[in-house]
Amino acid sequence: MNYQTLNTGEKIRLVMMILEALEEPITFKDFQETIGLMCEDLAGLEGLSVDSFSALVTDCWEIFQQTPLSNTDNR
């Protein structure tokens, strides 16, 4: 799997994994770091280019902000 093949459902699953682990609101910077750590453990995502990683984070952040359970006061 690489970023070019991630569909919306897969991005939503990444966001849901973050939401399940949240104990407090999360900033964009912390969200970006969390996605980075997750990508290191997911086959095909561990070697993303800077541009691909940035696009993935942006897409996932948009999903995260639209999720009612996100509790993000510090966006």
Side-chain angles (χ1 to χ4, degrees):
M1 169 187 344
N2 61 38
Y3 175 70
Q4 289 75 22
T5 63
L6 284 180
N7 61 39
T8 300
E10 292 165 331
K11 292 174 193 173
I12 290 170
R13 282 196 297 274
L14 284 174
V15 171
M16 289 298 149
M17 290 170 57
I18 293 171
L19 283 170
E20 289 173 3
L22 282 181
E23 295 180 9
E24 58 187 47
I26 190 170
T27 64
F28 177 79
K29 183 178 178 178
D30 291 337
F31 183 85
Q32 184 177 30
E33 183 177 327
T34 300
I35 292 254
L37 292 171
M38 292 172 70
C39 287
E40 290 177 3
D41 295 330
L42 296 172
L45 295 181
E46 69 276 6
L48 288 176
S49 70
V50 173
D51 290 341
S52 292
F53 176 73
S54 179
L56 175 63
V57 170
T58 300
D59 290 350
C60 289
W61 181 248
E62 289 177 15
I63 293 166
F64 181 80
Q65 289 182 309
Q66 295 171 9
T67 305
L69 303 174
S70 64
N71 290 329
T72 54
D73 297 328
N74 302 321
R75 293 184 200 178

XYZ file of all heavy atoms in Angstrom:
593
model
N 0.845 -1.165 0.000
C 0.000 0.000 0.000
C 0.892 1.230 0.000
O 1.850 1.304 0.732
C -0.874 -0.033 1.255
C -1.614 1.228 1.510
S -2.540 1.365 3.073
C -2.700 -0.244 3.704
N 0.578 2.201 -0.828
C 1.268 3.477 -0.753
C 0.240 4.590 -0.770
O -0.934 4.351 -0.976
C 2.313 3.640 -1.867
C 1.700 3.584 -3.238
O 0.616 4.089 -3.453
N 2.400 2.969 -4.179
N 0.685 5.819 -0.532
C -0.266 6.916 -0.409
C -1.173 7.031 -1.628
O -2.356 7.280 -1.505
C 0.454 8.249 -0.169
C -0.523 9.387 -0.163
C -1.423 9.517 0.884
C -0.600 10.277 -1.216
C -2.364 10.518 0.883
C -1.533 11.284 -1.223
C -2.416 11.403 -0.177
O -3.354 12.388 -0.183
N -0.634 6.810 -2.798
C -1.424 6.958 -4.006
C -2.590 5.972 -4.055
O -3.539 6.184 -4.767
C -0.553 6.789 -5.257
C 0.400 7.943 -5.505
C 1.608 7.954 -4.572
O 1.980 6.949 -4.000
N 2.192 9.118 -4.396
N -2.518 4.887 -3.299
C -3.589 3.903 -3.327
C -4.496 3.976 -2.105
O -5.428 3.207 -2.002
C -3.024 2.469 -3.444
O -2.251 2.189 -2.285
C -2.209 2.303 -4.688
N -4.223 4.882 -1.166
C -5.105 5.016 -0.014
C -6.419 5.639 -0.461
O -6.443 6.704 -1.069
C -4.488 5.913 1.065
C -3.387 5.325 1.920
C -2.918 6.371 2.930
C -3.826 4.082 2.633
N -7.483 4.950 -0.159
C -8.780 5.529 -0.495
C -9.344 6.239 0.736
O -8.737 6.214 1.819
C -9.735 4.446 -1.030
C -10.008 3.358 -0.009
O -10.146 3.624 1.177
N -10.085 2.121 -0.472
N -10.458 6.857 0.580
C -11.056 7.620 1.673
C -11.339 6.725 2.881
O -11.085 7.130 4.016
C -12.354 8.305 1.205
O -12.039 9.179 0.116
C -12.984 9.112 2.319
N -11.798 5.520 2.656
C -12.079 4.597 3.755
C -10.833 4.269 4.563
O -10.878 4.189 5.797
N -9.708 4.099 3.892
C -8.449 3.812 4.588
C -7.973 5.021 5.386
O -7.465 4.881 6.496
C -7.388 3.368 3.587
C -7.699 2.016 2.979
C -6.886 1.696 1.745
O -6.485 2.620 1.004
O -6.654 0.487 1.518
N -8.160 6.207 4.826
C -7.803 7.425 5.564
C -8.692 7.577 6.792
O -8.219 7.943 7.869
C -7.923 8.646 4.660
C -6.904 8.683 3.544
C -7.172 9.843 2.611
C -6.377 9.711 1.334
N -6.748 10.732 0.351
N -9.966 7.275 6.628
C -10.891 7.346 7.763
C -10.460 6.369 8.846
O -10.492 6.693 10.041
C -12.345 7.086 7.305
C -12.842 8.274 6.475
C -13.263 6.823 8.495
C -14.169 8.044 5.773
N -10.028 5.177 8.477
C -9.560 4.202 9.475
C -8.339 4.726 10.225
O -8.219 4.543 11.439
C -9.272 2.856 8.819
C -10.545 2.072 8.547
C -10.287 0.604 8.273
N -9.491 0.356 7.083
C -9.974 0.248 5.852
N -11.260 0.370 5.642
N -9.171 -0.012 4.841
N -7.415 5.390 9.524
C -6.259 5.989 10.198
C -6.722 7.027 11.226
O -6.244 7.058 12.363
C -5.322 6.663 9.195
C -4.433 5.774 8.348
C -3.700 6.615 7.314
C -3.449 5.002 9.201
N -7.662 7.868 10.818
C -8.185 8.896 11.724
C -8.893 8.249 12.912
O -8.729 8.679 14.058
C -9.122 9.862 10.964
C -9.849 10.786 11.921
C -8.334 10.663 9.937
N -9.667 7.214 12.663
C -10.374 6.539 13.748
C -9.408 5.920 14.761
O -9.668 5.925 15.963
C -11.320 5.453 13.196
C -12.518 6.013 12.491
S -13.483 6.958 13.656
C -14.202 8.187 12.654
N -8.289 5.421 14.278
C -7.277 4.870 15.185
C -6.753 5.968 16.111
O -6.539 5.741 17.303
C -6.133 4.241 14.384
C -6.529 2.969 13.679
S -5.284 2.358 12.510
C -3.849 2.188 13.523
N -6.570 7.161 15.576
C -6.109 8.283 16.395
C -7.191 8.673 17.385
O -6.923 8.875 18.576
C -5.707 9.481 15.512
C -4.465 9.122 14.696
C -5.469 10.733 16.355
C -4.105 10.134 13.635
N -8.427 8.767 16.919
C -9.530 9.150 17.801
C -9.683 8.174 18.969
O -9.944 8.589 20.100
C -10.841 9.220 17.015
C -11.030 10.454 16.151
C -12.245 10.288 15.246
C -11.172 11.692 17.012
N -9.513 6.899 18.695
C -9.653 5.888 19.746
C -8.579 6.033 20.819
O -8.799 5.683 21.975
C -9.601 4.483 19.142
C -10.844 4.155 18.339
C -10.734 2.831 17.596
O -9.708 2.128 17.741
O -11.676 2.507 16.859
N -7.421 6.559 20.454
C -6.320 6.692 21.395
C -6.316 8.041 22.130
O -5.565 8.214 23.084
C -4.993 6.503 20.666
N -7.138 8.974 21.690
C -7.131 10.314 22.282
C -7.677 10.315 23.705
O -8.695 9.711 23.975
C -7.976 11.278 21.455
C -7.379 11.834 20.196
C -8.378 12.781 19.535
C -6.086 12.546 20.448
N -6.987 11.033 24.558
C -7.475 11.246 25.909
C -7.728 12.729 26.159
O -8.286 13.100 27.182
C -6.474 10.701 26.916
C -6.338 9.193 26.821
C -5.340 8.628 27.807
O -4.866 9.373 28.680
O -5.036 7.442 27.690
N -7.278 13.564 25.225
C -7.466 15.008 25.325
C -7.427 15.591 23.927
O -7.030 14.910 22.981
C -6.390 15.635 26.203
C -4.982 15.381 25.710
C -3.932 15.876 26.695
O -4.067 15.588 27.885
O -2.998 16.534 26.239
N -7.843 16.848 23.765
C -7.787 17.457 22.432
C -6.370 17.405 21.858
O -5.389 17.376 22.598
C -8.219 18.898 22.689
C -9.056 18.826 23.927
C -8.415 17.742 24.761
N -6.290 17.433 20.547
C -5.002 17.305 19.873
C -4.815 18.472 18.903
O -5.753 18.890 18.243
C -4.918 15.939 19.143
C -3.514 15.649 18.638
C -5.940 15.832 18.056
C -3.331 14.213 18.128
N -3.610 18.990 18.850
C -3.279 20.061 17.912
C -2.892 19.447 16.573
O -2.613 18.250 16.472
C -2.096 20.904 18.430
O -0.933 20.067 18.491
C -2.396 21.507 19.792
N -2.817 20.301 15.546
C -2.400 19.818 14.231
C -1.001 19.219 14.296
O -0.746 18.166 13.721
C -2.448 20.939 13.187
C -1.962 20.493 11.839
C -2.781 19.753 11.007
C -0.683 20.791 11.411
C -2.334 19.314 9.764
C -0.224 20.366 10.167
C -1.063 19.627 9.349
N -0.094 19.891 15.008
C 1.288 19.408 15.105
C 1.332 18.016 15.744
O 2.039 17.123 15.270
C 2.132 20.392 15.906
C 3.582 20.002 15.997
C 4.387 21.033 16.748
C 5.838 20.571 16.843
N 6.689 21.528 17.500
N 0.578 17.815 16.824
C 0.528 16.499 17.472
C -0.123 15.458 16.558
O 0.295 14.299 16.523
C -0.215 16.570 18.802
C 0.545 17.348 19.857
O 1.786 17.462 19.742
O -0.099 17.849 20.798
N -1.143 15.878 15.826
C -1.810 14.990 14.880
C -0.826 14.541 13.804
O -0.730 13.359 13.481
C -3.000 15.723 14.250
C -3.813 14.885 13.308
C -4.826 14.068 13.787
C -3.596 14.928 11.943
C -5.595 13.297 12.919
C -4.353 14.174 11.066
C -5.350 13.351 11.563
N -0.060 15.505 13.275
C 0.941 15.209 12.244
C 1.982 14.227 12.779
O 2.357 13.271 12.093
C 1.596 16.515 11.807
C 2.585 16.370 10.692
C 3.147 17.725 10.271
O 3.257 18.647 11.072
N 3.481 17.839 9.006
N 2.435 14.442 14.002
C 3.419 13.547 14.607
C 2.838 12.146 14.795
O 3.504 11.148 14.536
C 3.870 14.115 15.950
C 4.940 13.290 16.618
C 5.430 13.919 17.912
O 5.454 15.155 18.008
O 5.781 13.144 18.817
N 1.588 12.081 15.214
C 0.935 10.784 15.419
C 0.818 10.021 14.111
O 1.114 8.823 14.053
C -0.453 10.985 16.059
O -0.286 11.652 17.316
C -1.152 9.659 16.286
N 0.402 10.705 13.047
C 0.317 10.049 11.730
C 1.702 9.567 11.306
O 1.850 8.472 10.777
C -0.262 11.004 10.671
C -1.722 11.286 10.963
C -0.080 10.451 9.269
C -2.744 10.651 10.093
N 2.722 10.375 11.545
C 4.086 9.984 11.187
C 4.518 8.713 11.894
O 5.097 7.811 11.286
N 4.215 8.626 13.173
C 4.560 7.428 13.944
C 3.781 6.219 13.442
O 4.323 5.109 13.362
C 4.305 7.658 15.432
C 5.225 8.672 16.107
C 4.732 8.974 17.528
C 6.658 8.177 16.124
N 2.526 6.430 13.094
C 1.709 5.330 12.575
C 2.240 4.843 11.230
O 2.272 3.644 10.968
C 0.252 5.772 12.449
C -0.423 6.030 13.779
S -2.054 6.760 13.584
C -2.945 5.364 12.912
N 2.665 5.776 10.392
C 3.164 5.411 9.063
C 4.421 4.546 9.150
O 4.653 3.699 8.290
C 3.450 6.658 8.231
S 1.963 7.493 7.652
N 5.218 4.741 10.187
C 6.422 3.928 10.367
C 6.084 2.459 10.569
O 6.885 1.585 10.253
C 7.223 4.431 11.566
C 7.873 5.776 11.349
C 8.593 6.288 12.580
O 8.644 5.570 13.606
O 9.101 7.418 12.533
N 4.880 2.187 11.075
C 4.476 0.818 11.380
C 3.557 0.198 10.339
O 3.171 -0.961 10.474
C 3.774 0.770 12.747
C 4.717 1.127 13.887
O 5.928 0.871 13.766
O 4.233 1.657 14.896
N 3.181 0.957 9.320
C 2.265 0.442 8.308
C 3.012 0.167 7.005
O 3.618 1.064 6.422
C 1.131 1.441 8.058
C 0.220 1.701 9.252
C -0.734 2.848 8.954
C -0.548 0.451 9.626
N 2.950 -1.074 6.572
C 3.636 -1.473 5.336
C 3.199 -0.597 4.178
O 2.013 -0.358 3.978
C 3.337 -2.931 5.033
N 4.171 -0.100 3.433
C 3.900 0.740 2.287
C 3.854 2.224 2.609
O 3.939 3.051 1.721
N 3.692 2.563 3.876
C 3.633 3.970 4.259
C 4.909 4.434 4.943
O 5.107 5.629 5.147
C 2.439 4.232 5.193
C 1.052 4.021 4.605
C -0.008 4.344 5.645
C 0.844 4.862 3.368
N 5.778 3.506 5.279
C 6.986 3.862 6.025
C 7.976 4.690 5.215
O 8.796 5.386 5.776
C 7.672 2.613 6.588
C 8.310 1.715 5.543
C 7.385 0.736 4.871
O 6.156 0.766 5.104
O 7.888 -0.093 4.095
N 7.878 4.690 3.907
C 8.833 5.419 3.084
C 8.207 6.544 2.283
O 8.679 6.868 1.205
N 7.168 7.162 2.804
C 6.516 8.246 2.075
C 7.456 9.426 1.858
O 8.231 9.776 2.747
C 5.299 8.760 2.858
C 4.064 7.883 2.918
C 3.009 8.523 3.815
C 3.500 7.642 1.542
N 7.346 10.032 0.705
C 8.095 11.267 0.470
C 7.490 12.372 1.329
O 6.366 12.238 1.835
C 8.014 11.665 -1.012
O 6.698 12.094 -1.325
N 8.215 13.461 1.480
C 7.726 14.593 2.280
C 6.410 15.109 1.701
O 5.459 15.377 2.444
C 8.784 15.715 2.339
C 8.235 16.952 2.999
C 10.030 15.226 3.062
N 6.334 15.232 0.386
C 5.113 15.735 -0.249
C 3.935 14.785 -0.054
O 2.823 15.225 0.240
C 5.334 15.969 -1.746
C 6.241 17.149 -2.028
O 6.413 18.009 -1.128
O 6.776 17.226 -3.143
N 4.173 13.485 -0.208
C 3.104 12.507 -0.022
C 2.640 12.474 1.425
O 1.441 12.389 1.706
C 3.566 11.111 -0.447
O 3.761 11.060 -1.833
N 3.597 12.550 2.352
C 3.237 12.560 3.768
C 2.421 13.805 4.096
O 1.402 13.728 4.783
C 4.492 12.498 4.648
C 4.186 12.598 6.112
C 3.599 11.543 6.780
C 4.472 13.763 6.812
C 3.296 11.640 8.133
C 4.181 13.865 8.164
C 3.594 12.799 8.826
N 2.833 14.948 3.589
C 2.115 16.197 3.836
C 0.685 16.127 3.302
O -0.265 16.548 3.972
C 2.866 17.363 3.194
O 2.181 18.560 3.402
N 0.521 15.571 2.111
C -0.813 15.426 1.518
C -1.665 14.468 2.337
O -2.856 14.720 2.563
C -0.694 14.942 0.075
N -1.075 13.381 2.806
C -1.799 12.417 3.634
C -2.261 13.072 4.930
O -3.416 12.935 5.334
C -0.923 11.202 3.935
C -1.518 10.169 4.901
C -2.783 9.553 4.324
C -0.490 9.098 5.230
N -1.365 13.799 5.580
C -1.713 14.467 6.837
C -2.838 15.472 6.614
O -3.798 15.528 7.380
C -0.479 15.154 7.468
C -0.881 16.044 8.634
C 0.526 14.107 7.925
N -2.734 16.249 5.550
C -3.760 17.246 5.251
C -5.116 16.592 5.025
O -6.134 17.029 5.572
C -3.362 18.084 4.021
O -2.129 18.750 4.309
C -4.423 19.107 3.668
N -5.143 15.537 4.230
C -6.399 14.816 3.974
C -6.979 14.246 5.266
O -8.182 14.375 5.530
C -6.183 13.676 2.977
C -5.909 14.157 1.562
O -6.067 15.368 1.290
O -5.515 13.301 0.737
N -6.132 13.627 6.063
C -6.598 13.017 7.311
C -7.032 14.071 8.324
O -7.996 13.863 9.061
C -5.521 12.105 7.901
S -5.285 10.586 6.955
N -6.350 15.206 8.372
C -6.731 16.295 9.282
C -8.119 16.819 8.924
O -8.935 17.094 9.803
C -5.694 17.406 9.252
C -6.001 18.551 10.170
C -6.338 19.811 9.806
C -5.969 18.552 11.606
N -6.520 20.597 10.925
C -6.301 19.841 12.042
C -5.692 17.567 12.560
C -6.376 20.196 13.389
C -5.753 17.920 13.904
C -6.100 19.211 14.308
N -8.405 16.938 7.622
C -9.736 17.374 7.190
C -10.804 16.389 7.643
O -11.863 16.789 8.123
C -9.771 17.551 5.678
C -8.995 18.751 5.199
C -8.969 18.891 3.684
O -9.780 18.235 2.994
O -8.136 19.663 3.191
N -10.524 15.108 7.519
C -11.451 14.075 7.988
C -11.611 14.191 9.499
O -12.722 14.145 10.027
C -10.959 12.669 7.592
C -11.001 12.499 6.074
C -11.782 11.585 8.291
C -10.243 11.288 5.553
N -10.501 14.345 10.194
C -10.500 14.450 11.651
C -11.367 15.627 12.113
O -12.165 15.494 13.037
C -9.063 14.615 12.137
C -8.907 14.720 13.616
C -8.937 13.588 14.413
C -8.721 15.953 14.222
C -8.781 13.680 15.792
C -8.550 16.059 15.587
C -8.590 14.916 16.375
N -11.225 16.765 11.468
C -11.991 17.949 11.851
C -13.481 17.773 11.606
O -14.293 18.385 12.291
C -11.490 19.173 11.084
C -10.134 19.636 11.547
C -9.693 20.865 10.799
O -9.719 20.896 9.573
N -9.303 21.880 11.535
N -13.846 16.948 10.666
C -15.251 16.713 10.345
C -15.875 15.632 11.210
O -17.080 15.425 11.159
C -15.397 16.332 8.874
C -14.996 17.446 7.942
C -14.939 16.996 6.499
O -15.348 15.887 6.155
N -14.425 17.840 5.638
N -15.058 14.955 12.012
C -15.543 13.858 12.841
C -16.070 14.425 14.156
O -15.324 15.078 14.880
C -14.417 12.846 13.108
O -13.893 12.427 11.854
C -14.919 11.638 13.867
N -17.332 14.174 14.476
C -17.927 14.756 15.681
C -17.215 14.385 16.977
O -17.255 15.136 17.931
C -19.352 14.206 15.699
C -19.593 13.633 14.360
C -18.266 13.379 13.724
N -16.543 13.275 17.023
C -15.902 12.808 18.255
C -14.508 13.373 18.458
O -13.843 13.044 19.430
C -15.804 11.275 18.240
C -17.115 10.538 18.076
C -16.858 9.049 17.938
C -18.038 10.811 19.238
N -14.032 14.241 17.559
C -12.634 14.656 17.615
C -12.278 15.540 18.801
O -11.134 15.559 19.221
C -12.233 15.352 16.306
O -12.965 16.533 16.140
N -13.235 16.281 19.370
C -12.957 17.139 20.535
C -11.728 18.008 20.347
O -10.904 18.131 21.237
C -12.747 16.294 21.794
C -14.022 15.658 22.259
O -15.097 16.212 22.066
N -13.914 14.506 22.870
N -11.559 18.604 19.204
C -10.370 19.408 18.963
C -10.671 20.875 19.199
O -11.263 21.533 18.360
C -9.816 19.210 17.546
O -10.868 19.462 16.623
C -9.247 17.833 17.355
N -10.259 21.378 20.328
C -10.404 22.792 20.631
C -9.205 23.573 20.144
O -9.270 24.769 19.947
C -10.542 23.003 22.139
C -11.796 22.339 22.677
O -12.809 22.267 21.941
O -11.774 21.902 23.832
N -8.065 22.896 19.961
C -6.809 23.545 19.601
C -6.438 23.255 18.155
O -5.463 22.613 17.898
C -5.668 23.069 20.512
C -5.966 23.336 21.948
O -6.522 24.372 22.280
N -5.611 22.412 22.818
N -7.200 23.716 17.213
C -6.923 23.423 15.808
C -5.946 24.362 15.237
O -5.899 25.456 15.171
C -8.200 23.432 15.000
C -9.059 22.292 15.406
C -10.253 22.259 14.540
N -11.235 21.476 15.256
C -12.420 21.234 14.860
N -12.848 21.713 13.749
N -13.251 20.516 15.544
